Amino acid sequence: GVCLTLLLIVAIDHQLQGETYKDGTLFALIASFAAVATNLFSIPSSPMAQPRSVVVSHIVAVVVAVLVDYLTDQHLGLIPQWLAVSLAPALLAAVVSYMGTIHPPAGACAVLYIMGDEQVKNLGWLFLAVPVLLDVALVTFMALCINNLSKARAYPLYW
C-alpha cells in the first residue's frame, strides 16, 4: 500500500513539473507523506490514522505554518527563522491535541513549509491545496481501497 500510494503521488508530481503559480512551482511530493502512508497502512486502526485526524491535522499544520512564517525575519521580522521551525509544530501539537485529532506527520509538514525555499513559500496559502490536501485525499483514498481488500482489516474505523 505504501509503495503504490507513493508511486501515485510521484507520478502526479512528475506531471506537475514546470507548472507554476505566481513564482512558486507546483508539486505533489512532500517527504512527510511517506510517514502518513506508513501510518495508514501499518496501523490503520489507530486513532491517529483515521481520516479526521489526517485531514484536520494537515489543515491546521499549514494554517499554523503560514501564519508563523508571516512572523519571521522574511516578513514582519518579529521572530527569527530558527524559532519559527520550533514554534510551528509546537503550536500545531497544542491545537490538534485540544481538538483530539493528533496525527504526528502533520508536524513535519509544518516544518517543511517553514524551512521551504522561495518556490515553496511563494505558494503561500495554495500550499494547503497543492500539495497538502491533494496528498491527503490520495493517501486516504488509497488506504480506503487497499486496507479493505482484506477481511481482517477495516479502514476507516470512523470518519
Side-chain angles (χ1 to χ4, degrees):
V2 173
C3 183
L4 290 175
T5 300
L6 292 176
L7 281 172
L8 177 61
I9 293 172
V10 168
I12 293 170
D13 188 69
H14 182 72
Q15 291 299 312
L16 288 175
Q17 286 182 357
E19 297 293 326
T20 60
Y21 173 78
K22 295 186 180 179
D23 292 327
T25 301
L26 297 178
F27 57 95
L29 182 61
I30 303 178
S32 62
F33 275 87
V36 176
T38 300
N39 279 350
L40 270 60
F41 291 104
S42 300
I43 52 170
S45 60
S46 169
M48 289 183 256
Q50 301 310 305
R52 179 184 319 149
S53 293
V54 177
V55 172
V56 171
S57 286
H58 279 92
I59 290 171
V60 173
V62 175
V63 169
V64 167
V66 171
L67 292 175
V68 168
D69 189 58
Y70 282 138
L71 302 175
T72 64
D73 301 331
Q74 298 171 353
H75 297 284
L76 297 175
L78 299 175
I79 61 173
Q81 184 72 19
W82 60 265
L83 179 58
V85 172
S86 303
L87 186 59
L91 290 172
L92 166 67
V95 172
V96 297
S97 293
Y98 177 77
M99 296 173 72
T101 57
I102 299 168
H103 183 71
C109 184
V111 170
L112 288 169
Y113 182 83
I114 294 287
M115 295 183 66
D117 61 15
E118 280 187 30
Q119 290 184 335
V120 171
K121 300 283 184 82
N122 286 341
L123 292 175
W125 292 104
L126 182 61
F127 184 78
L128 177 59
V130 177
V132 175
L133 289 179
L134 171 66
D135 287 357
V136 164
L138 292 171
V139 174
T140 304
F141 175 76
M142 293 295 286
L144 178 69
C145 293
I146 294 171
N147 280 331
N148 289 311
L149 290 175
S150 167
K151 291 182 181 183
R153 299 184 111 165
Y155 183 82
L157 295 182
Y158 55 87
W159 290 92

